[in-house]
Amino acid sequence: MSHAIVIGAGMVGLATAWHLQERGVEVTVIDKEGVAAGSSWGNAGWLSPGKTIPLSHPSLWGYGPKALLDPDAALHVPARVDPTLWSFFARFMAHATTKSWDRTMAALTPIDKLALEGFDELTDGGIESWTRKSPFVVGFENEKQSQGFLGEVAGAVRHGQDVPFEPLENPRELAPMLSENVKVAYRLEGQRFFEPGPFMEALGQAFVQRGGTLRTGVEVTDVNSTRTPSVTLSTGEHLTADTVVIATGAWLPRLAAPLGVKVKVQAGRGYSFSVATDQPAEHPVYLPHARMACTPYQGRFRIAGTMEFKHADEPFDPGRITAIVNEARKLMTGVDLDARQDEWVGSRPVTPDGLPLIGATQVPNVYVAGGHGMWGMVLGPITGRLLADQITTGAIHPAITPFDPLR
């Protein structure tokens, strides 16, 4: 039996490990903290391929300069001398053109179409957790605000996605927590949501129950290969395997850059918290103009937002939570924003061109899986399946061909 080491116990890493097990591979997963310790735990839990679209959009040229001066803006880049950060941001903005958006959308569409199937494979295969079909409520203060969303939906449909939606006459019909300031809304169908934390715990437990080894609290400091791949741990240990997969999210370049993966990966940090609501929250709510994604979560309402370009290891910034709360006060009612729980920050791995990194490095039998930006949760299971196929058969599925890590 062959042996693989997967570095990273987030959605992408654990899904890859699970699918390698399905193909008869013995797997060890190593994570410096634990299951879902990166960006997998506190995100909005959206399984929404219809909204899995390029982050870098032409509208950023109008929004971005204003956001840099607005402390409450969802897009945040710290005003400081940081050549690495500003170099990434310049490359990211260079892709904010219609031509680039279309090129990226065309590359994402094939894997988007497979995404929900990836979750069905996990739950059908024994993962004791759920995903739930639900209409998403998409709200705006006025018609003008909705134009960007309608344009994005039209773009996704143009590239072959099915994104069914219709106007909602009364936004509060499905989302009673929306205030009277939300005057325009749409009902978006064909999507799902889940609770990320419990799902990840179930996936990790299933991996271990099927004979996988999960090592936490130890960091991989180096990956190399002579005859066989090996990893060096922070304890000084050296482990060898037939295959190594690097799935460390926003920290991926530390191990992957020396292996020929030169695409920049920047932490696009998202924040979230949960609140109680006067009336039960039953459906996800999206407020695009405020860049807020909200989801029912364990009897409460999780509110997530912000794209903060900082280094992945920087401390939690309470000001980002304040910025989300300030926006929420205008758009929500019957929501206890002063009794927040589960305040969290997670570093999403963003690439300049908006495409993930999935496939082989320059070093034989060492692979990477990451760079999904905001879409690591929805694309994680199908990424794991397609990469496991590549590792065990050598065949590269057309859906991941555009995501060559060596591009």
Side-chain angles (χ1 to χ4, degrees):
M1 178 183 291
S2 64
H3 177 224
I5 293 174
V6 176
I7 309 167
M11 175 63 89
V12 174
L14 282 177
T16 303
W18 190 91
H19 278 288
L20 286 170
Q21 286 180 318
E22 286 286 283
R23 288 148 183 78
V25 179
E26 179 185 349
V27 187
T28 297
V29 173
I30 303 172
D31 194 283
K32 63 180 180 179
E33 294 185 49
V35 171
S39 60
S40 292
W41 184 85
N43 62 83
W46 284 15
L47 308 182
S48 52
K51 283 298 297 167
T52 303
I53 59 177
L55 296 176
S56 191
H57 188 271
S59 63
L60 287 178
W61 289 106
Y63 174 77
K66 298 176 185 177
L68 295 177
L69 302 174
D70 182 358
D72 284 348
L75 176 65
H76 179 66
V77 184
R80 64 189 184 198
V81 177
D82 189 333
T84 301
L85 176 60
W86 287 103
S87 172
F88 169 84
F89 191 61
R91 296 183 189 192
F92 179 78
M93 290 300 296
H95 287 277
T97 66
T98 299
K99 182 178 180 180
S100 182
W101 192 94
D102 278 320
R103 183 168 57 246
T104 303
M105 188 71 247
L108 287 172
T109 294
I111 197 169
D112 286 355
K113 288 182 173 182
L114 298 172
L116 297 182
E117 176 184 311
F119 279 88
D120 292 337
E121 285 178 298
L122 293 179
T123 54
D124 292 347
I127 305 304
E128 295 182 359
S129 197
W130 52 264
T131 71
R132 185 168 299 159
K133 295 180 180 179
S134 174
F136 281 41
V137 178
V138 187
F140 307 90
E141 294 177 81
N142 52 58
E143 293 283 356
K144 183 179 179 181
Q145 285 185 0
S146 70
Q147 296 310 301
F149 164 75
L150 297 177
E152 289 176 350
V153 169
V157 171
R158 186 171 68 251
H159 285 280
Q161 290 219 49
D162 181 22
V163 192
F165 75 102
E166 61 183 15
L168 265 178
E169 186 173 334
N170 176 13
R172 282 149 289 282
E173 175 186 346
L174 296 178
M177 70 289 299
L178 291 178
S179 75
E180 294 294 336
N181 290 330
V182 179
K183 297 180 171 61
V184 177
Y186 294 88
R187 176 186 178 124
L188 179 65
E189 297 283 2
Q191 321 300 310
R192 302 186 201 173
F193 73 96
F194 74 150
E195 295 179 345
F199 192 98
M200 292 301 304
E201 291 171 7
L203 179 55
Q205 289 168 4
F207 165 73
V208 172
Q209 289 167 359
R210 300 197 316 168
T213 300
L214 177 61
R215 292 192 61 177
T216 60
V218 61
E219 185 173 4
V220 175
T221 58
D222 186 43
V223 178
N224 56 68
S225 178
T226 50
R227 293 182 179 178
T228 59
S230 67
V231 303
T232 303
L233 306 184
S234 53
T235 59
E237 294 175 81
H238 296 276
L239 305 177
T240 60
D242 299 290
T243 303
V244 171
V245 178
I246 303 169
T248 50
W251 294 267
L252 188 144
R254 294 181 184 177
L255 297 175
L259 310 179
V261 181
K262 302 304 182 185
V263 177
K264 300 294 183 183
V265 178
Q266 168 64 43
R269 299 175 1 138
Y271 287 74
S272 72
F273 53 87
S274 70
V275 295
T277 57
D278 289 351
Q279 298 186 54
E282 297 181 0
H283 307 289
V285 173
Y286 182 34
L287 300 166
H289 193 71
R291 270 73 173 180
M292 284 195 292
C294 313
T295 319
Y297 188 83
Q298 298 188 333
R300 294 171 65 82
F301 196 50
R302 174 171 281 177
I303 301 176
T306 291
M307 176 62 74
E308 178 191 51
F309 287 131
K310 281 186 177 180
H311 298 295
D313 292 316
E314 291 195 46
F316 178 93
D317 181 357
R320 293 288 86 212
I321 295 290
T322 300
I324 298 172
V325 169
N326 290 342
E327 289 295 317
R329 290 195 192 281
K330 295 185 292 185
L331 301 172
M332 297 183 187
T333 186
V335 174
D336 192 350
L337 293 165
D338 295 319
R340 301 181 298 276
Q341 296 179 11
D342 310 314
E343 291 189 350
W344 171 88
V345 61
S347 294
R348 299 167 296 204
V350 182
T351 61
D353 61 6
L355 298 178
L357 303 166
I358 306 170
T361 69
Q362 286 182 348
V363 175
N365 301 314
V366 178
Y367 300 80
V368 298
H372 294 79
M374 294 174 64
W375 317 123
M377 296 306 282
V378 62
L379 297 181
I382 194 62
T383 292
R385 189 188 89 188
L386 299 181
L387 182 58
D389 283 342
Q390 180 180 347
I391 291 169
T392 56
T393 71
I396 302 175
H397 192 285
I400 60 172
T401 300
F403 311 143
D404 183 354
L406 302 180
R407 63 181 182 269

